[in-house]
Short mmCIF file of all heavy atoms in Angstrom, two decimals:
data_model
loop_
_atom_site.label_atom_id
_atom_site.label_comp_id
_atom_site.label_asym_id
_atom_site.label_seq_id
_atom_site.Cartn_x
_atom_site.Cartn_y
_atom_site.Cartn_z
N VAL B 37 -29.28 23.90 -155.99
CA VAL B 37 -29.19 25.26 -156.52
C VAL B 37 -27.90 25.41 -157.33
O VAL B 37 -27.90 26.03 -158.41
CB VAL B 37 -29.24 26.30 -155.38
CG1 VAL B 37 -28.94 27.71 -155.91
CG2 VAL B 37 -30.60 26.29 -154.70
N PHE B 38 -26.82 24.82 -156.84
CA PHE B 38 -25.55 24.82 -157.57
C PHE B 38 -25.71 24.10 -158.91
O PHE B 38 -25.23 24.58 -159.95
CB PHE B 38 -24.47 24.13 -156.73
CG PHE B 38 -23.24 23.73 -157.50
CD1 PHE B 38 -22.34 24.69 -157.97
CD2 PHE B 38 -22.98 22.38 -157.78
CE1 PHE B 38 -21.22 24.32 -158.69
CE2 PHE B 38 -21.87 22.01 -158.50
CZ PHE B 38 -20.98 22.97 -158.96
N LEU B 39 -26.41 22.97 -158.92
CA LEU B 39 -26.66 22.24 -160.17
C LEU B 39 -27.49 23.08 -161.14
O LEU B 39 -27.28 23.02 -162.35
CB LEU B 39 -27.37 20.92 -159.90
CG LEU B 39 -26.58 19.84 -159.16
CD1 LEU B 39 -27.40 18.55 -159.07
CD2 LEU B 39 -25.25 19.55 -159.83
N CYS B 40 -28.41 23.87 -160.60
CA CYS B 40 -29.22 24.77 -161.43
C CYS B 40 -28.32 25.80 -162.10
O CYS B 40 -28.47 26.07 -163.31
CB CYS B 40 -30.28 25.46 -160.56
SG CYS B 40 -31.33 26.59 -161.50
N PHE B 41 -27.38 26.35 -161.36
CA PHE B 41 -26.43 27.33 -161.92
C PHE B 41 -25.58 26.69 -163.02
O PHE B 41 -25.40 27.27 -164.10
CB PHE B 41 -25.53 27.87 -160.80
CG PHE B 41 -24.38 28.70 -161.31
CD1 PHE B 41 -24.57 29.99 -161.77
CD2 PHE B 41 -23.09 28.17 -161.32
CE1 PHE B 41 -23.50 30.74 -162.27
CE2 PHE B 41 -22.02 28.91 -161.80
CZ PHE B 41 -22.23 30.20 -162.27
N VAL B 42 -25.09 25.46 -162.76
CA VAL B 42 -24.27 24.75 -163.76
C VAL B 42 -25.10 24.47 -165.01
O VAL B 42 -24.59 24.58 -166.14
CB VAL B 42 -23.72 23.44 -163.16
CG1 VAL B 42 -22.98 22.63 -164.22
CG2 VAL B 42 -22.78 23.73 -161.99
N TYR B 43 -26.36 24.14 -164.82
CA TYR B 43 -27.25 23.86 -165.96
C TYR B 43 -27.42 25.11 -166.83
O TYR B 43 -27.39 25.02 -168.07
CB TYR B 43 -28.61 23.38 -165.45
CG TYR B 43 -29.64 23.24 -166.54
CD1 TYR B 43 -29.50 22.30 -167.55
CD2 TYR B 43 -30.76 24.07 -166.56
CE1 TYR B 43 -30.45 22.17 -168.56
CE2 TYR B 43 -31.72 23.95 -167.57
CZ TYR B 43 -31.56 22.99 -168.56
OH TYR B 43 -32.49 22.87 -169.56
N ILE B 44 -27.59 26.26 -166.20
CA ILE B 44 -27.73 27.51 -166.95
C ILE B 44 -26.47 27.78 -167.77
O ILE B 44 -26.55 28.16 -168.95
CB ILE B 44 -28.03 28.69 -165.99
CG1 ILE B 44 -29.43 28.53 -165.38
CG2 ILE B 44 -27.94 30.03 -166.71
CD1 ILE B 44 -29.71 29.45 -164.20
N VAL B 45 -25.30 27.55 -167.15
CA VAL B 45 -24.02 27.71 -167.86
C VAL B 45 -23.97 26.76 -169.06
O VAL B 45 -23.55 27.13 -170.16
CB VAL B 45 -22.83 27.45 -166.91
CG1 VAL B 45 -21.51 27.40 -167.69
CG2 VAL B 45 -22.77 28.52 -165.83
N SER B 46 -24.43 25.52 -168.86
CA SER B 46 -24.42 24.52 -169.92
C SER B 46 -25.32 24.92 -171.08
O SER B 46 -24.92 24.82 -172.25
CB SER B 46 -24.88 23.16 -169.36
OG SER B 46 -25.05 22.22 -170.39
N VAL B 47 -26.52 25.39 -170.76
CA VAL B 47 -27.48 25.80 -171.81
C VAL B 47 -26.91 26.98 -172.61
O VAL B 47 -26.93 26.98 -173.85
CB VAL B 47 -28.85 26.16 -171.20
CG1 VAL B 47 -29.76 26.82 -172.25
CG2 VAL B 47 -29.52 24.92 -170.64
N LEU B 48 -26.39 27.98 -171.90
CA LEU B 48 -25.84 29.16 -172.57
C LEU B 48 -24.60 28.80 -173.41
O LEU B 48 -24.48 29.22 -174.57
CB LEU B 48 -25.48 30.24 -171.54
CG LEU B 48 -26.67 30.87 -170.78
CD1 LEU B 48 -26.15 31.82 -169.71
CD2 LEU B 48 -27.60 31.61 -171.75
N GLY B 49 -23.70 28.01 -172.82
CA GLY B 49 -22.46 27.64 -173.51
C GLY B 49 -22.71 26.78 -174.74
O GLY B 49 -22.22 27.09 -175.83
N ASN B 50 -23.48 25.70 -174.56
CA ASN B 50 -23.75 24.81 -175.69
C ASN B 50 -24.63 25.48 -176.74
O ASN B 50 -24.43 25.28 -177.94
CB ASN B 50 -24.40 23.51 -175.20
CG ASN B 50 -23.40 22.59 -174.53
OD1 ASN B 50 -22.48 22.08 -175.15
ND2 ASN B 50 -23.57 22.38 -173.24
N GLY B 51 -25.60 26.27 -176.28
CA GLY B 51 -26.45 27.01 -177.22
C GLY B 51 -25.64 27.99 -178.06
O GLY B 51 -25.84 28.10 -179.28
N PHE B 52 -24.69 28.67 -177.39
CA PHE B 52 -23.83 29.63 -178.09
C PHE B 52 -22.94 28.93 -179.11
O PHE B 52 -22.79 29.38 -180.26
CB PHE B 52 -22.97 30.39 -177.07
CG PHE B 52 -22.03 31.39 -177.67
CD1 PHE B 52 -22.52 32.56 -178.26
CD2 PHE B 52 -20.67 31.16 -177.66
CE1 PHE B 52 -21.65 33.49 -178.82
CE2 PHE B 52 -19.79 32.08 -178.21
CZ PHE B 52 -20.29 33.25 -178.80
N LEU B 53 -22.35 27.78 -178.71
CA LEU B 53 -21.48 27.03 -179.62
C LEU B 53 -22.27 26.51 -180.82
O LEU B 53 -21.80 26.59 -181.97
CB LEU B 53 -20.82 25.87 -178.87
CG LEU B 53 -19.78 25.05 -179.63
CD1 LEU B 53 -18.64 25.92 -180.14
CD2 LEU B 53 -19.23 23.93 -178.75
N LEU B 54 -23.46 26.01 -180.60
CA LEU B 54 -24.32 25.54 -181.70
C LEU B 54 -24.64 26.68 -182.66
O LEU B 54 -24.60 26.51 -183.88
CB LEU B 54 -25.63 24.95 -181.14
CG LEU B 54 -25.53 23.61 -180.42
CD1 LEU B 54 -26.84 23.29 -179.71
CD2 LEU B 54 -25.17 22.49 -181.37
N LEU B 55 -24.91 27.87 -182.09
CA LEU B 55 -25.26 29.03 -182.91
C LEU B 55 -24.07 29.48 -183.76
O LEU B 55 -24.22 29.79 -184.95
CB LEU B 55 -25.73 30.17 -182.01
CG LEU B 55 -26.32 31.41 -182.70
CD1 LEU B 55 -27.61 31.05 -183.43
CD2 LEU B 55 -26.58 32.52 -181.68
N VAL B 56 -22.88 29.51 -183.14
CA VAL B 56 -21.66 29.93 -183.87
C VAL B 56 -21.39 28.98 -185.03
O VAL B 56 -21.11 29.42 -186.16
CB VAL B 56 -20.44 29.99 -182.91
CG1 VAL B 56 -19.14 30.14 -183.70
CG2 VAL B 56 -20.59 31.13 -181.93
N ILE B 57 -21.47 27.67 -184.77
CA ILE B 57 -21.22 26.68 -185.84
C ILE B 57 -22.26 26.81 -186.94
O ILE B 57 -21.95 26.71 -188.13
CB ILE B 57 -21.18 25.25 -185.26
CG1 ILE B 57 -19.99 25.09 -184.31
CG2 ILE B 57 -21.09 24.22 -186.39
CD1 ILE B 57 -19.98 23.79 -183.53
N TYR B 58 -23.52 27.04 -186.56
CA TYR B 58 -24.59 27.17 -187.54
C TYR B 58 -24.43 28.42 -188.41
O TYR B 58 -24.63 28.37 -189.62
CB TYR B 58 -25.94 27.20 -186.82
CG TYR B 58 -27.12 27.44 -187.73
CD1 TYR B 58 -27.62 26.43 -188.54
CD2 TYR B 58 -27.74 28.69 -187.77
CE1 TYR B 58 -28.69 26.64 -189.39
CE2 TYR B 58 -28.82 28.92 -188.62
CZ TYR B 58 -29.29 27.90 -189.42
OH TYR B 58 -30.35 28.12 -190.26
N LEU B 59 -24.04 29.54 -187.79
CA LEU B 59 -23.98 30.82 -188.51
C LEU B 59 -22.74 30.98 -189.38
O LEU B 59 -22.79 31.62 -190.42
CB LEU B 59 -24.07 31.99 -187.51
CG LEU B 59 -25.41 32.18 -186.80
CD1 LEU B 59 -25.32 33.30 -185.78
CD2 LEU B 59 -26.53 32.47 -187.79
N ASP B 60 -21.62 30.41 -188.94
CA ASP B 60 -20.37 30.61 -189.67
C ASP B 60 -20.15 29.44 -190.65
O ASP B 60 -19.91 28.30 -190.24
CB ASP B 60 -19.18 30.71 -188.71
CG ASP B 60 -17.91 31.14 -189.41
OD1 ASP B 60 -17.92 31.27 -190.66
OD2 ASP B 60 -16.91 31.37 -188.71
N LYS B 61 -20.22 29.72 -191.94
CA LYS B 61 -20.11 28.67 -192.95
C LYS B 61 -18.72 28.04 -193.00
O LYS B 61 -18.57 26.91 -193.49
CB LYS B 61 -20.49 29.24 -194.31
CG LYS B 61 -21.97 29.56 -194.44
CD LYS B 61 -22.34 30.03 -195.83
CE LYS B 61 -23.84 30.30 -195.92
NZ LYS B 61 -24.24 30.76 -197.26
N THR B 62 -17.71 28.76 -192.50
CA THR B 62 -16.35 28.17 -192.49
C THR B 62 -16.26 27.00 -191.51
O THR B 62 -15.34 26.20 -191.58
CB THR B 62 -15.29 29.24 -192.12
OG1 THR B 62 -15.58 29.75 -190.81
CG2 THR B 62 -15.29 30.37 -193.12
N LEU B 63 -17.21 26.92 -190.57
CA LEU B 63 -17.24 25.81 -189.60
C LEU B 63 -18.13 24.66 -190.06
O LEU B 63 -18.34 23.71 -189.32
CB LEU B 63 -17.70 26.31 -188.23
CG LEU B 63 -16.80 27.32 -187.52
CD1 LEU B 63 -17.38 27.72 -186.18
CD2 LEU B 63 -15.39 26.78 -187.34
N HIS B 64 -18.68 24.77 -191.29
CA HIS B 64 -19.51 23.69 -191.82
C HIS B 64 -18.62 22.61 -192.43
O HIS B 64 -18.70 22.29 -193.62
CB HIS B 64 -20.51 24.23 -192.84
CG HIS B 64 -21.53 25.14 -192.25
ND1 HIS B 64 -22.57 25.67 -192.97
CD2 HIS B 64 -21.69 25.60 -190.98
CE1 HIS B 64 -23.32 26.44 -192.18
NE2 HIS B 64 -22.79 26.41 -190.97
N SER B 65 -17.76 22.06 -191.59
CA SER B 65 -16.80 21.04 -192.01
C SER B 65 -17.08 19.76 -191.24
O SER B 65 -17.78 19.78 -190.22
CB SER B 65 -15.37 21.52 -191.73
OG SER B 65 -15.20 21.71 -190.35
N PRO B 66 -16.53 18.61 -191.70
CA PRO B 66 -16.77 17.35 -190.97
C PRO B 66 -16.40 17.42 -189.48
O PRO B 66 -17.13 16.92 -188.64
CB PRO B 66 -15.88 16.36 -191.72
CG PRO B 66 -15.80 16.89 -193.10
CD PRO B 66 -15.80 18.38 -192.95
N LYS B 67 -15.25 18.06 -189.19
CA LYS B 67 -14.81 18.16 -187.80
C LYS B 67 -15.84 18.87 -186.94
O LYS B 67 -16.19 18.41 -185.84
CB LYS B 67 -13.47 18.92 -187.73
CG LYS B 67 -12.98 19.16 -186.30
CD LYS B 67 -11.70 19.99 -186.30
CE LYS B 67 -11.30 20.34 -184.87
NZ LYS B 67 -10.07 21.17 -184.84
N TYR B 68 -16.38 19.98 -187.42
CA TYR B 68 -17.33 20.75 -186.62
C TYR B 68 -18.75 20.20 -186.69
O TYR B 68 -19.59 20.57 -185.86
CB TYR B 68 -17.24 22.24 -186.98
CG TYR B 68 -16.00 22.83 -186.35
CD1 TYR B 68 -14.84 22.99 -187.11
CD2 TYR B 68 -15.96 23.14 -185.01
CE1 TYR B 68 -13.69 23.48 -186.51
CE2 TYR B 68 -14.82 23.63 -184.42
CZ TYR B 68 -13.68 23.79 -185.17
OH TYR B 68 -12.53 24.26 -184.58
N MET B 69 -19.02 19.30 -187.61
CA MET B 69 -20.26 18.55 -187.56
C MET B 69 -20.25 17.64 -186.32
O MET B 69 -21.26 17.48 -185.64
CB MET B 69 -20.43 17.70 -188.82
CG MET B 69 -20.79 18.50 -190.06
SD MET B 69 -20.67 17.50 -191.56
CE MET B 69 -21.97 16.32 -191.29
N ILE B 70 -19.08 17.08 -186.02
CA ILE B 70 -18.93 16.22 -184.83
C ILE B 70 -19.05 17.07 -183.56
O ILE B 70 -19.72 16.68 -182.59
CB ILE B 70 -17.58 15.48 -184.84
CG1 ILE B 70 -17.43 14.67 -186.13
CG2 ILE B 70 -17.46 14.55 -183.65
CD1 ILE B 70 -16.04 14.09 -186.36
N VAL B 71 -18.40 18.26 -183.57
CA VAL B 71 -18.49 19.16 -182.40
C VAL B 71 -19.94 19.60 -182.19
O VAL B 71 -20.42 19.65 -181.05
CB VAL B 71 -17.57 20.40 -182.62
CG1 VAL B 71 -17.76 21.41 -181.48
CG2 VAL B 71 -16.11 19.97 -182.70
N PHE B 72 -20.64 19.89 -183.28
CA PHE B 72 -22.06 20.27 -183.21
C PHE B 72 -22.88 19.14 -182.58
O PHE B 72 -23.74 19.38 -181.72
CB PHE B 72 -22.58 20.57 -184.62
CG PHE B 72 -23.96 21.16 -184.67
CD1 PHE B 72 -24.14 22.54 -184.70
CD2 PHE B 72 -25.10 20.35 -184.70
CE1 PHE B 72 -25.41 23.10 -184.74
CE2 PHE B 72 -26.36 20.89 -184.74
CZ PHE B 72 -26.53 22.27 -184.76
N ASN B 73 -22.59 17.91 -182.98
CA ASN B 73 -23.30 16.74 -182.44
C ASN B 73 -23.05 16.60 -180.93
O ASN B 73 -23.98 16.30 -180.17
CB ASN B 73 -22.82 15.48 -183.16
CG ASN B 73 -23.69 14.27 -182.84
OD1 ASN B 73 -24.82 14.17 -183.30
ND2 ASN B 73 -23.16 13.35 -182.06
N LEU B 74 -21.80 16.84 -180.51
CA LEU B 74 -21.47 16.75 -179.07
C LEU B 74 -22.19 17.84 -178.28
O LEU B 74 -22.75 17.57 -177.21
CB LEU B 74 -19.96 16.87 -178.86
CG LEU B 74 -19.47 16.78 -177.41
CD1 LEU B 74 -19.79 15.41 -176.82
CD2 LEU B 74 -17.98 17.08 -177.30
N ALA B 75 -22.18 19.08 -178.80
CA ALA B 75 -22.85 20.18 -178.11
C ALA B 75 -24.35 19.93 -178.00
O ALA B 75 -24.99 20.21 -176.98
CB ALA B 75 -22.58 21.50 -178.83
N LEU B 76 -24.95 19.36 -179.06
CA LEU B 76 -26.38 19.03 -179.06
C LEU B 76 -26.68 17.95 -178.03
O LEU B 76 -27.66 18.05 -177.27
CB LEU B 76 -26.81 18.57 -180.46
CG LEU B 76 -28.29 18.24 -180.65
CD1 LEU B 76 -29.16 19.48 -180.43
CD2 LEU B 76 -28.54 17.67 -182.03
N ALA B 77 -25.83 16.92 -177.98
CA ALA B 77 -26.01 15.84 -177.00
C ALA B 77 -25.85 16.36 -175.58
O ALA B 77 -26.60 15.98 -174.67
CB ALA B 77 -25.02 14.72 -177.28
#
Side-chain angles (χ1 to χ4, degrees):
V37 171
F38 164 72
L39 292 185
C40 180
F41 170 75
V42 174
Y43 173 66
I44 292 167
V45 171
S46 173
V47 170
L48 294 175
N50 285 295
F52 179 69
L53 185 57
L54 289 170
L55 188 64
V56 169
I57 295 171
Y58 175 76
L59 292 176
D60 190 355
K61 290 184 179 180
T62 60
L63 296 181
H64 293 184
S65 62
K67 176 184 174 181
Y68 284 98
M69 287 169 66
I70 304 170
V71 175
F72 189 93
N73 191 73
L74 181 64
L76 182 63

